[in-house]
Each structure stands twice: as structure tokens, then as C-alpha cells.
Amino acid sequence: MQFRFKHLALASAIALSTAAFAADPIKIGVDGPFTGGSSSMGVSMRDGVRLATEEINKAGGVLGRQLQLVERDDEAKNERGVQIAQEFINKEKVVAAVGYINTGVALASQRFFQEAKIPVLNNVATGSIITKQFEKEPENYVFRNAAHDSIQAPMIVEEAITRRGYKKVAILADSTNYGQLGREDLEKALKSKGITAVAVEKFNIKDVDMTAQLLKAKEAGAEAVLTYGIGPELAQIANGMTKLGWKVPIVGSWTLAMANFIDNAGPGGDGARMPQTFIQEPTTPKRKAFIDNFVKTFKPKNNRMDSPVSAAQGYDSIYLLAAAIKQAGSTDGPKIKAALEDLKTPVEGVVTTYDKPFSKTDHDAITANIPVFGEVKGGRVVYANAEDQKNAAKVQLKDPAANAALIK
């Protein structure tokens, strides 16, 4: 009898322990710059991630467990990103990571996840090399749901050269990995059109005067300025033009949509155009619900997201990850990776509906048919082209052929 009671007690203890283990939260690392010049993107991304996580947890979580976010501010510094990656893996024991705003931070940090066989889903950083850093290895743990620069740069050139007819353009790019890799992509895209930029100028983070660079562009006869930069320095380009009394169109990467460009440039920023995967307009029921919930929860200034693209892609990244964990039936890294590469059920996001977004050899969810051009107008980003506005309710699905067509 005593043995029977001991046996029952042991069985009960094991059952309780198993139940407690099953109820343990699923830890997901969230890395981004939540302070500094890139914080418009980082905070918006983090808020999108938080919103999706709250929705999923309210609906019962994943595998009967709640998602738990482990958030860290990388300050847009490569060395800080490296420290955070190691902390996520060794101390926090995350099952996956999302985030990364800055290409340099991503490239420095994601090798630790690769070695640990833990998936990392870049939801903002756009450097073309990011998902290809480990493509020659047998398994690649780096994914992305942002429009990479090999998509954006040809779109920028197509807008400036083909659609608007400018033959003389200048390039102003910041000195970060993002800026310089983007500059290379711009020059490559221009070359495909038989055009060489009349001026190629660099600026540094925290520079407050672009007069020298703009004078060179002006003297070279530039009819438009193409930009690649990540911080409020972009506003100094618009402000510098105003100061010089020289106003030509600005067409650049998606970061021209950030609040710290729009607000710091003021009226001088109006007319700037940039590729966008998401514009803050309720063009579908899913997008309306997302915008309403975001504004209600985070109360952004003037009901305008600081970086709508970052918020939307952050939101979608959690739903993609949750779908993979559910399909895998596990939080094991290799199994989550395998599920991401072969998602069986479409995932409805706010940027797009992700139907087979990844494969073994393609870890980029966004193709060239998804982004549209936004334009700064009256302190907000709106659709630049009436046709895109008209068709906005039609969700564009991934189409790898669109990338080839754009480059061609």
C-alpha cells in the first residue's frame, strides 16, 4: 500500500512537472534600435511585433503555450547586436529571433543564430546579402519578410529614369553598410539603363550639413537626387536643397517614409518618393484592423505610425513564425526552419498573404510586384500613383518572376 501511494505521488509529480513544462512560454528574441537615429523604424517594428504577439496569445498562443518576447535595444551598433545575439542564445534560450533594422547589425549578429541552428527572421533590414550570407552552407537559418535592395534599387531607377524621364541623377548615400551596399545596387541598376550618375556623394551618420554634397550634384547638372540612408540625415538633404534654393525631386529607398525625415524636413520633404511594402491606409479589412488596433494601442503622434513599413513587417513576422512553430509541432530550431521553408497553410498578413513565402533556396518573402511607390505629402506618406491607389485593395502575392522582370 505504501509503495502504491509513493508510486501515485511520483506519477502525480511527473504529470505536474510535464504540465508545467508544456505551459512554459515560447521565448522569441526581438532585436532592434529602440533609441537613436534608427529608432523610428525600430520602435515601430517592436510595436508591430507586440501587437501580433498579444493577438496570438489572446487566441490561445501556439502549441498551447504563450509567446514571450525578449526585447533588446541594439542601438544600431554592430557590437551591441553581437552581444544581444549571444545573450538570446546562451542565456535567454530563445527558439527564434525577429527584428534587425540595420544591415550591418544583421550581418554581424545572425552568424550566431546560424551556428546555434536557431531561425532568425529579418523583418526590416534590406541589404541584399542578408539572406545569402550562409546560402552555401547545407542549412540556412536566415529568413526575411522585407523588400531587399536588389528589388528597391531597380524600382528607384525605374521611377526616376523611365517613368519620370530624368537622364542626369546624383546619388547621395550614407557611409553605413546599408547606404554603401544600396549605392552599389543603384549604380548597377543605372548601368543597366546605360546611365552613370553625374555625382556620387557620401555622408556620415549625424552629419547636419549636406551643402558640399548638394553643390557637387547641382554643379554636375543633376535633375534628381537618389538617396540611400537610414537616419534623420536624410532630412538634411531636403533642408540643404531649401537652403541652396535648388529643388529637384528626391527618389530614394523606403527609409524616406520615416517620421524623422518627414518631420525634420517639413515642407521641403514633400514630393519625396520611395518604395513601400505598406502604406498606412485601410485598403483591406485586415489592414484596417491592424491600423485601428495599432493607433488605439500605441497612440502615435497625429495617429501616424513613425514607420508604417516597419510596423507592418514586424507584425507579419510574428504570424509567419507562429505558423511555422504550429506546423512543426515543436520549438526545435531545425524543425521550425524546415516548416518555414514549406509552409502548408497561407498566412494572412497586412503586407500580403504569404502563400509559400519561403523555400529551401529562397528565404525572401517579398518580390518586386508587392512594393508600390509612396510619396510624402502634408506630413504623411500616401500612394504616389493613382493606379496603385486604385488597385490597393487587391493583395499582391509573391511572384519570383517579378524580380527577374524588374531587373531585366
Side-chain angles (χ1 to χ4, degrees):
M1 182 68 72
Q2 188 178 13
F3 174 79
R4 185 166 176 268
F5 280 131
K6 285 183 177 179
H7 181 73
L8 286 171
L10 179 61
S12 296
I14 291 172
L16 286 169
S17 175
T18 302
F21 177 76
D24 282 349
I26 298 172
K27 285 188 173 184
I28 298 171
V30 185
D31 181 293
F34 307 139
T35 56
S38 295
S39 61
S40 280
M41 299 178 282
V43 172
S44 294
M45 176 275 292
R46 182 189 65 191
D47 289 348
V49 165
R50 287 178 177 178
L51 199 63
T53 302
E54 182 182 15
E55 292 174 359
I56 291 167
N57 285 340
K58 280 184 177 179
V62 183
L63 306 181
R65 299 162 64 182
Q66 296 283 283
L67 299 181
Q68 179 182 328
L69 303 179
V70 182
E71 301 172 352
R72 295 290 184 271
D73 179 6
D74 64 34
E75 304 170 30
K77 296 176 181 176
N78 294 4
E79 63 275 15
R80 177 70 182 133
V82 166
Q83 292 171 352
I84 291 169
Q86 293 173 311
E87 181 184 345
F88 278 167
I89 295 163
N90 300 321
K91 181 182 176 183
E92 298 293 347
K93 309 295 183 184
V94 302
V95 305
V98 300
Y100 293 110
I101 305 297
N102 307 94
T103 294
V105 179
L107 293 174
S109 306
Q110 58 194 20
R111 60 189 175 94
F112 296 98
F113 296 101
Q114 175 73 13
E115 291 167 3
K117 297 183 178 181
I118 294 174
V120 55
L121 186 48
N122 283 268
N123 52 26
V124 178
T126 60
S128 300
I129 193 176
I130 282 175
T131 53
K132 302 181 184 302
Q133 192 175 13
F134 308 109
E135 67 176 352
K136 292 184 180 178
E137 295 189 13
E139 303 293 335
N140 179 6
Y141 282 81
V142 179
F143 296 81
R144 172 167 48 195
N145 65 305
H148 57 77
D149 293 336
S150 294
I151 291 173
Q152 290 194 62
M155 282 185 70
I156 293 165
V157 168
E158 185 73 13
E159 172 72 13
I161 305 302
T162 305
R163 294 187 67 169
R164 301 178 73 175
Y166 302 121
K167 302 303 179 187
K168 294 183 176 181
V169 297
I171 298 174
L172 267 66
D174 72 27
S175 58
T176 66
N177 281 357
Y178 171 74
Q180 292 307 300
L181 290 171
R183 172 191 56 75
E184 290 177 8
D185 285 331
L186 281 177
E187 290 182 310
K188 190 184 301 181
L190 285 169
K191 186 177 180 181
S192 73
K193 302 278 188 187
I195 290 175
T196 301
V198 295
V200 179
E201 296 297 317
K202 184 190 294 188
F203 57 91
N204 297 316
I205 299 300
K206 297 186 179 178
D207 280 359
V208 295
D209 187 354
M210 302 291 173
T211 304
Q213 294 95 325
L214 289 169
L215 279 173
K216 289 181 182 177
K218 181 182 179 183
E219 290 165 2
E223 300 167 315
V225 170
L226 313 185
T227 65
Y228 245 90
I230 60 175
E233 297 78 21
L234 291 170
Q236 301 303 335
I237 296 173
N239 293 338
M241 286 183 178
T242 300
K243 181 180 172 183
L244 292 173
W246 178 59
K247 181 63 175 175
V248 296
I250 299 174
V251 186
S253 61
W254 73 276
T255 49
L256 284 168
M258 293 193 301
N260 57 19
F261 169 76
I262 296 171
D263 293 343
N264 292 330
D270 273 15
R273 290 191 176 188
M274 74 303 288
Q276 300 280 275
T277 58
F278 175 78
I279 289 174
Q280 189 183 336
E281 291 192 19
T283 52
T284 67
K286 179 75 173 180
R287 290 168 185 161
K288 184 180 188 308
F290 167 68
I291 293 167
D292 290 347
N293 290 343
F294 191 101
V295 170
K296 179 182 176 182
T297 302
F298 303 111
K299 298 177 174 57
K301 181 181 176 183
N302 298 324
N303 292 332
R304 181 200 64 190
M305 299 173 186
D306 271 11
S307 176
V309 165
S310 303
Q313 291 170 180
Y315 179 90
D316 286 1
S317 69
I318 292 295
Y319 273 98
L320 284 166
L321 192 54
I325 294 171
K326 180 180 178 182
Q327 179 176 306
S330 169
T331 56
D332 178 65
K335 290 180 181 178
I336 296 172
K337 181 195 78 73
L340 281 169
E341 291 175 337
D342 186 27
L343 282 175
K344 306 293 187 185
T345 306
V347 176
E348 185 184 12
V350 290
V351 169
T352 183
T353 293
Y354 300 87
D355 188 6
K356 299 289 183 185
F358 307 113
S359 69
K360 179 78 173 175
T361 57
D362 180 5
H363 282 195
D364 276 292
I366 304 298
T367 47
N369 59 308
I370 294 173
V372 298
F373 263 90
E375 179 177 320
V376 178
K377 188 175 183 180
R380 303 181 76 86
V381 173
V382 299
Y383 284 90
N385 302 308
E387 192 68 18
D388 289 332
Q389 172 79 72
K390 180 182 175 182
N391 296 324
K394 182 180 178 182
V395 176
Q396 295 294 320
L397 303 181
K398 179 174 182 175
D399 179 10
N403 288 359
L406 176 64
I407 292 168
K408 184 178 179 181

